[in-house]
PDB file of all heavy atoms in Angstrom:
ATOM      1  N   LYS A 171     210.001 189.390 147.833  1.00  0.00           N
ATOM      2  CA  LYS A 171     209.688 190.867 148.093  1.00  0.00           C
ATOM      3  C   LYS A 171     209.944 191.203 149.550  1.00  0.00           C
ATOM      4  O   LYS A 171     210.341 192.374 149.855  1.00  0.00           O
ATOM      5  CB  LYS A 171     208.244 191.180 147.592  1.00  0.00           C
ATOM      6  CG  LYS A 171     208.083 191.097 146.070  1.00  0.00           C
ATOM      7  CD  LYS A 171     206.668 191.525 145.690  1.00  0.00           C
ATOM      8  CE  LYS A 171     206.450 191.470 144.235  1.00  0.00           C
ATOM      9  NZ  LYS A 171     205.094 191.826 143.810  1.00  0.00           N
ATOM     10  N   ALA A 172     209.518 190.291 150.383  1.00  0.00           N
ATOM     11  CA  ALA A 172     209.761 190.491 151.839  1.00  0.00           C
ATOM     12  C   ALA A 172     211.261 190.705 152.101  1.00  0.00           C
ATOM     13  O   ALA A 172     211.648 191.502 152.904  1.00  0.00           O
ATOM     14  CB  ALA A 172     209.220 189.422 152.608  1.00  0.00           C
ATOM     15  N   ILE A 173     212.068 189.782 151.549  1.00  0.00           N
ATOM     16  CA  ILE A 173     213.501 189.920 151.700  1.00  0.00           C
ATOM     17  C   ILE A 173     214.022 191.312 151.294  1.00  0.00           C
ATOM     18  O   ILE A 173     214.911 191.918 151.984  1.00  0.00           O
ATOM     19  CB  ILE A 173     214.279 188.750 150.919  1.00  0.00           C
ATOM     20  CG1 ILE A 173     213.967 187.404 151.573  1.00  0.00           C
ATOM     21  CG2 ILE A 173     215.709 189.050 150.732  1.00  0.00           C
ATOM     22  CD1 ILE A 173     214.473 186.342 150.814  1.00  0.00           C
ATOM     23  N   SER A 174     213.573 191.788 150.181  1.00  0.00           N
ATOM     24  CA  SER A 174     214.004 193.158 149.669  1.00  0.00           C
ATOM     25  C   SER A 174     213.727 194.217 150.649  1.00  0.00           C
ATOM     26  O   SER A 174     214.601 195.058 150.974  1.00  0.00           O
ATOM     27  CB  SER A 174     213.231 193.416 148.350  1.00  0.00           C
ATOM     28  OG  SER A 174     213.641 194.698 147.909  1.00  0.00           O
ATOM     29  N   ASP A 175     212.503 194.189 151.284  1.00  0.00           N
ATOM     30  CA  ASP A 175     212.124 195.165 152.316  1.00  0.00           C
ATOM     31  C   ASP A 175     212.951 195.008 153.525  1.00  0.00           C
ATOM     32  O   ASP A 175     213.400 196.018 154.126  1.00  0.00           O
ATOM     33  CB  ASP A 175     210.664 195.158 152.637  1.00  0.00           C
ATOM     34  CG  ASP A 175     209.787 196.004 151.711  1.00  0.00           C
ATOM     35  OD1 ASP A 175     210.418 196.888 151.108  1.00  0.00           O
ATOM     36  OD2 ASP A 175     208.609 195.788 151.617  1.00  0.00           O
ATOM     37  N   LEU A 176     213.122 193.775 153.963  1.00  0.00           N
ATOM     38  CA  LEU A 176     213.928 193.581 155.211  1.00  0.00           C
ATOM     39  C   LEU A 176     215.402 193.869 155.093  1.00  0.00           C
ATOM     40  O   LEU A 176     216.022 194.360 155.963  1.00  0.00           O
ATOM     41  CB  LEU A 176     213.886 192.100 155.656  1.00  0.00           C
ATOM     42  CG  LEU A 176     212.474 191.598 156.130  1.00  0.00           C
ATOM     43  CD1 LEU A 176     212.321 190.107 156.136  1.00  0.00           C
ATOM     44  CD2 LEU A 176     212.195 192.210 157.509  1.00  0.00           C
ATOM     45  N   LYS A 177     215.921 193.736 153.735  1.00  0.00           N
ATOM     46  CA  LYS A 177     217.357 194.135 153.563  1.00  0.00           C
ATOM     47  C   LYS A 177     217.467 195.668 153.720  1.00  0.00           C
ATOM     48  O   LYS A 177     218.445 196.208 154.315  1.00  0.00           O
ATOM     49  CB  LYS A 177     217.814 193.689 152.286  1.00  0.00           C
ATOM     50  CG  LYS A 177     218.130 192.235 152.128  1.00  0.00           C
ATOM     51  CD  LYS A 177     218.843 191.854 150.825  1.00  0.00           C
ATOM     52  CE  LYS A 177     219.431 190.434 150.911  1.00  0.00           C
ATOM     53  NZ  LYS A 177     220.084 190.025 149.678  1.00  0.00           N
ATOM     54  N   ALA A 178     216.514 196.377 153.181  1.00  0.00           N
ATOM     55  CA  ALA A 178     216.531 197.860 153.383  1.00  0.00           C
ATOM     56  C   ALA A 178     216.420 198.204 154.873  1.00  0.00           C
ATOM     57  O   ALA A 178     217.091 199.084 155.363  1.00  0.00           O
ATOM     58  CB  ALA A 178     215.393 198.412 152.594  1.00  0.00           C
ATOM     59  N   ALA A 179     215.493 197.530 155.562  1.00  0.00           N
ATOM     60  CA  ALA A 179     215.289 197.728 156.974  1.00  0.00           C
ATOM     61  C   ALA A 179     216.597 197.534 157.787  1.00  0.00           C
ATOM     62  O   ALA A 179     216.860 198.158 158.743  1.00  0.00           O
ATOM     63  CB  ALA A 179     214.152 196.984 157.561  1.00  0.00           C
ATOM     64  N   SER A 180     217.313 196.483 157.373  1.00  0.00           N
ATOM     65  CA  SER A 180     218.527 196.126 158.105  1.00  0.00           C
ATOM     66  C   SER A 180     219.627 197.238 157.963  1.00  0.00           C
ATOM     67  O   SER A 180     220.486 197.342 158.873  1.00  0.00           O
ATOM     68  CB  SER A 180     219.132 194.823 157.593  1.00  0.00           C
ATOM     69  OG  SER A 180     219.669 195.011 156.263  1.00  0.00           O
ATOM     70  N   LYS A 181     219.503 198.065 156.944  1.00  0.00           N
ATOM     71  CA  LYS A 181     220.484 199.107 156.654  1.00  0.00           C
ATOM     72  C   LYS A 181     219.904 200.463 157.358  1.00  0.00           C
ATOM     73  O   LYS A 181     220.704 201.342 157.679  1.00  0.00           O
ATOM     74  CB  LYS A 181     220.727 199.290 155.223  1.00  0.00           C
ATOM     75  CG  LYS A 181     221.491 198.204 154.614  1.00  0.00           C
ATOM     76  CD  LYS A 181     221.764 198.387 153.094  1.00  0.00           C
ATOM     77  CE  LYS A 181     222.520 197.218 152.514  1.00  0.00           C
ATOM     78  NZ  LYS A 181     221.874 195.956 152.628  1.00  0.00           N
ATOM     79  N   LEU A 182     218.657 200.547 157.364  1.00  0.00           N
ATOM     80  CA  LEU A 182     218.047 201.785 157.895  1.00  0.00           C
ATOM     81  C   LEU A 182     217.931 201.890 159.385  1.00  0.00           C
ATOM     82  O   LEU A 182     217.938 202.997 159.918  1.00  0.00           O
ATOM     83  CB  LEU A 182     216.605 201.978 157.400  1.00  0.00           C
ATOM     84  CG  LEU A 182     216.397 202.173 155.816  1.00  0.00           C
ATOM     85  CD1 LEU A 182     214.953 201.989 155.480  1.00  0.00           C
ATOM     86  CD2 LEU A 182     216.967 203.503 155.405  1.00  0.00           C
ATOM     87  N   LYS A 183     218.057 200.836 160.042  1.00  0.00           N
ATOM     88  CA  LYS A 183     218.022 200.819 161.574  1.00  0.00           C
ATOM     89  C   LYS A 183     219.298 200.159 161.984  1.00  0.00           C
ATOM     90  O   LYS A 183     219.603 198.950 161.635  1.00  0.00           O
ATOM     91  CB  LYS A 183     216.791 199.993 161.998  1.00  0.00           C
ATOM     92  CG  LYS A 183     216.579 200.189 163.548  1.00  0.00           C
ATOM     93  CD  LYS A 183     215.224 199.891 163.982  1.00  0.00           C
ATOM     94  CE  LYS A 183     214.728 198.443 163.698  1.00  0.00           C
ATOM     95  NZ  LYS A 183     213.415 198.107 164.143  1.00  0.00           N
ATOM     96  N   ASN A 184     219.969 200.685 162.923  1.00  0.00           N
ATOM     97  CA  ASN A 184     221.265 200.138 163.519  1.00  0.00           C
ATOM     98  C   ASN A 184     220.970 198.834 164.301  1.00  0.00           C
ATOM     99  O   ASN A 184     219.967 198.742 164.950  1.00  0.00           O
ATOM    100  CB  ASN A 184     221.969 201.174 164.391  1.00  0.00           C
ATOM    101  CG  ASN A 184     222.500 202.353 163.644  1.00  0.00           C
ATOM    102  OD1 ASN A 184     222.840 202.152 162.448  1.00  0.00           O
ATOM    103  ND2 ASN A 184     222.623 203.558 164.287  1.00  0.00           N
ATOM    104  N   ASP A 185     222.005 197.937 164.235  1.00  0.00           N
ATOM    105  CA  ASP A 185     221.788 196.693 165.035  1.00  0.00           C
ATOM    106  C   ASP A 185     220.482 195.979 164.821  1.00  0.00           C
ATOM    107  O   ASP A 185     219.874 195.486 165.796  1.00  0.00           O
ATOM    108  CB  ASP A 185     222.063 196.995 166.468  1.00  0.00           C
ATOM    109  CG  ASP A 185     223.487 197.652 166.710  1.00  0.00           C
ATOM    110  OD1 ASP A 185     224.340 197.389 165.933  1.00  0.00           O
ATOM    111  OD2 ASP A 185     223.591 198.328 167.786  1.00  0.00           O
ATOM    112  N   ASN A 186     219.941 195.918 163.617  1.00  0.00           N
ATOM    113  CA  ASN A 186     218.765 195.313 163.345  1.00  0.00           C
ATOM    114  C   ASN A 186     218.914 193.756 163.240  1.00  0.00           C
ATOM    115  O   ASN A 186     218.828 193.242 162.187  1.00  0.00           O
ATOM    116  CB  ASN A 186     218.171 195.880 162.134  1.00  0.00           C
ATOM    117  CG  ASN A 186     216.669 195.640 162.023  1.00  0.00           C
ATOM    118  OD1 ASN A 186     216.021 194.754 162.686  1.00  0.00           O
ATOM    119  ND2 ASN A 186     215.962 196.445 161.182  1.00  0.00           N
ATOM    120  N   THR A 187     219.160 193.129 164.341  1.00  0.00           N
ATOM    121  CA  THR A 187     219.292 191.633 164.306  1.00  0.00           C
ATOM    122  C   THR A 187     218.058 190.910 163.792  1.00  0.00           C
ATOM    123  O   THR A 187     218.141 189.857 163.184  1.00  0.00           O
ATOM    124  CB  THR A 187     219.767 191.131 165.694  1.00  0.00           C
ATOM    125  OG1 THR A 187     218.751 191.630 166.674  1.00  0.00           O
ATOM    126  CG2 THR A 187     221.152 191.722 166.111  1.00  0.00           C
TER     127      THR A 187
END
Side-chain angles (χ1 to χ4, degrees):
K171 290 184 179 179
I173 288 171
S174 178
D175 272 341
L176 288 168
K177 282 190 172 182
S180 71
K181 293 178 175 63
L182 293 169
K183 186 163 66 177
N184 291 332
D185 301 334
N186 197 342
T187 54

